[in-house]
Amino acid sequence: MDLDLNPVLAPVRDLGEFIREQRLAAQISLRGLAVKAGVSNPYLSQVERGLRRPSAEILAQIARGLSISVETMLAKAGILEAAEAPEVVTAIHADPVLTERQKAVLVDIYAALRKEAEAGADAIAPRPPDTTAPAAELPSTSTPTGITPMPEGEHHAAH
């Protein structure tokens, strides 16, 4: 009975291939990335060839060594779910000319600008009154007893 391990091993090979592609795009040698990531040269080579599946911690170190987001690396490894990306982010990642570092910087800037714009929109947007509070807690618009309201524009003269 032959057991087909391809479905099990394919994700590990794909991850290794992704790491290798990112390393080559960043123009970093295998030895250079191993040093940056704090792993041995043979171990990193095995990861790239799909012979080893690194832990999330090692993947984070490799991502930092490649100057790509840890989230991207963990999503590629199937450890994190990939977040739903706006079309702008998808377009940035699809650009074949930019390096992974440049893509990461652009996505970070885009996210910061969106966050700033959303915060500004929240500050400008009028808030509807809170109608969930009991009537006794809502501010009263009536005049307190014993005080006669003064018509607008009139002033009491000091005598």
Side-chain angles (χ1 to χ4, degrees), residues 15-120:
L15 176 62
E17 191 174 301
F18 173 76
I19 292 170
R20 180 179 169 80
E21 287 169 0
Q22 299 308 308
R23 179 177 62 76
L24 293 174
Q27 299 178 341
I28 302 172
S29 69
L30 185 70
R31 179 169 287 139
L33 180 56
V35 169
K36 283 182 163 191
V39 297
S40 73
N41 206 33
Y43 178 79
L44 184 57
S45 175
Q46 291 173 349
V47 168
E48 283 191 359
R49 291 182 286 144
L51 302 175
R52 293 267 187 144
R53 182 184 169 111
S55 68
E57 185 177 326
I58 297 296
L59 286 171
Q61 290 171 220
I62 293 170
R64 285 191 283 278
L66 290 167
S67 298
I68 63 173
S69 79
V70 174
E71 292 80 10
T72 298
M73 182 69 78
L74 295 179
K76 188 69 179 172
I79 295 170
L80 277 182
E81 270 190 43
E84 196 62 35
E87 289 180 29
V88 173
V89 174
T90 304
I92 291 170
H93 285 298
D95 190 315
V97 177
L98 298 175
T99 67
E100 285 306 310
R101 172 119 175 92
Q102 291 169 329
K103 291 175 186 180
V105 168
L106 275 175
V107 169
D108 288 346
I109 291 170
Y110 175 73
L113 289 173
R114 278 190 57 104
K115 187 175 181 180
E116 183 180 303
E118 288 169 356

Side-chain angles (χ1 to χ4, degrees), residues 119-127:
D122 286 347
I124 294 171
R127 299 265 190 253

